[in-house]
Amino acid sequence: MRILVAEDDASLADGLRHSLRHAGHAVDLVMTGAEADSAVASNEFDLLILDLGLPKMSGLEVLRRLRARQSRLPVLILTAKDGVDDRVRGLDLGADDYLVKPFVLAELEARVRALARRGQSDSAVLSHGSLSYDTVGMVASIEGEVVELSARELALLKILLERAGRMVSKEHLVDHVCEWGEEVSTNAIEVYIHRLRKKLERGGVKIVTIRGLGYCLERPRVN
Ligand code: CA
């Protein structure tokens, strides 16, 4: 997933970024509410982690404006221990979940996984013919045998699996697996897909190129 973290405490923001990257996500950071507001208005994120106490526009105002634009972007708010009123207001304004500071990173990661699963299948395991992908353990396997994939290959595979049988554009892949300032071209995506294809071919997994547009993970044949 591509995640925007809006947090003005630099050390907490760094910790969040490190931990979420480790879990295979692309993470962008902003430190003010105004930056968060313009970032979510002009980029495709899959999740916003939003501190409510931000300078230059409160987190609540960022959230209010986001929902006023009819955005359904999942939002996890971070609140202070004594911020019961903020928490309630945040949930009323359309936050999907909250965490009270200080929290342990393992809990944040679990909440992020739960939000990522929302609106998709309830299972943490995505199956596709002989291939299965455990989104919690971040392990892909073919007939029970683990396939060694890089974090980025796993991120691409997850997107393709969630949209199996449908075309996914290269731009969409770039937007959802890359961070700001990362020089990842659509050509680089071709390279990742090429590697992924090689690693998965023994399982009969077919990633079809739709010339000039993108890719489609072919639905498995049912025998
Ligand atoms: Ca703060």
Side-chain angles (χ1 to χ4, degrees):
M1 287 202 295
R2 185 167 173 201
I3 300 175
L4 180 68
V5 173
E7 169 60 67
D8 60 322
D9 176 331
S11 66
L12 177 58
D14 265 355
L16 290 175
R17 174 156 64 182
H18 182 80
S19 142
L20 292 166
R21 274 188 180 159
H22 190 71
H25 303 295
V27 184
D28 292 303
L29 281 185
V30 290
M31 314 252 315
T32 70
E35 287 172 294
D37 182 61
S38 69
V40 291
S42 54
N43 293 271
E44 279 192 60
F45 292 100
D46 302 297
L47 173 66
L48 169 62
I49 297 178
L50 179 65
D51 177 31
L52 292 187
L54 288 175
K56 295 189 186 160
M57 188 185 294
S58 74
L60 286 173
E61 180 60 12
V62 173
L63 181 60
R64 192 194 64 73
R65 289 169 54 92
L66 180 75
R67 294 303 185 228
R69 291 191 296 268
Q70 313 292 324
S71 167
R72 298 175 65 191
L73 175 66
V75 178
L76 172 64
I77 53 175
L78 307 179
T79 71
K81 197 159 43 178
D82 55 359
V84 183
D85 291 347
D86 278 355
R87 211 136 69 222
V88 171
R89 279 216 61 207
L91 292 169
D92 282 345
L93 282 172
D96 297 273
D97 202 354
Y98 67 88
L99 268 177
V100 178
K101 293 180 189 178
F103 48 82
V104 290
L105 289 173
E107 183 176 11
L108 174 99
E109 286 170 15
R111 301 283 177 111
V112 167
R113 284 196 297 270
L115 286 171
R117 282 201 300 274
R118 213 175 263 189
Q120 293 162 8
S121 80
D122 287 338
S123 167
V125 178
L126 301 170
S127 297
H128 186 91
S130 63
L131 170 73
S132 64
Y133 177 47
D134 174 351
T135 58
V136 176
M138 291 186 58
V139 176
S141 51
I142 291 172
E143 277 156 10
E145 209 177 302
V146 173
V147 186
E148 296 290 340
L149 298 177
S150 69
R152 185 148 283 168
E153 288 164 351
L154 284 168
L156 289 171
L157 176 61
K158 182 160 182 280
I159 295 175
L160 291 169
L161 280 169
E162 285 163 354
R163 296 172 172 232
R166 286 182 286 162
M167 201 273 288
V168 183
S169 71
K170 282 185 202 171
E171 289 73 20
H172 180 92
L173 293 173
V174 171
D175 286 346
H176 288 264
V177 302
C178 305
E179 303 172 355
W180 291 332
E182 240 188 317
E183 293 292 323
V184 177
S185 61
T186 51
N187 289 343
I189 294 290
E190 280 173 28
V191 175
Y192 292 125
I193 292 285
H194 177 75
R195 285 192 209 141
L196 198 53
R197 202 177 257 150
K198 289 233 140 193
K199 291 179 181 179
L200 299 179
E201 72 188 350
R202 70 183 160 89
V205 177
K206 284 213 174 80
I207 303 170
V208 180
T209 301
I210 301 168
R211 203 160 277 284
L213 294 173
Y215 302 96
C216 174
L217 182 64
E218 232 179 52
R219 287 199 178 281
R221 297 244 167 82
V222 182
N223 294 317

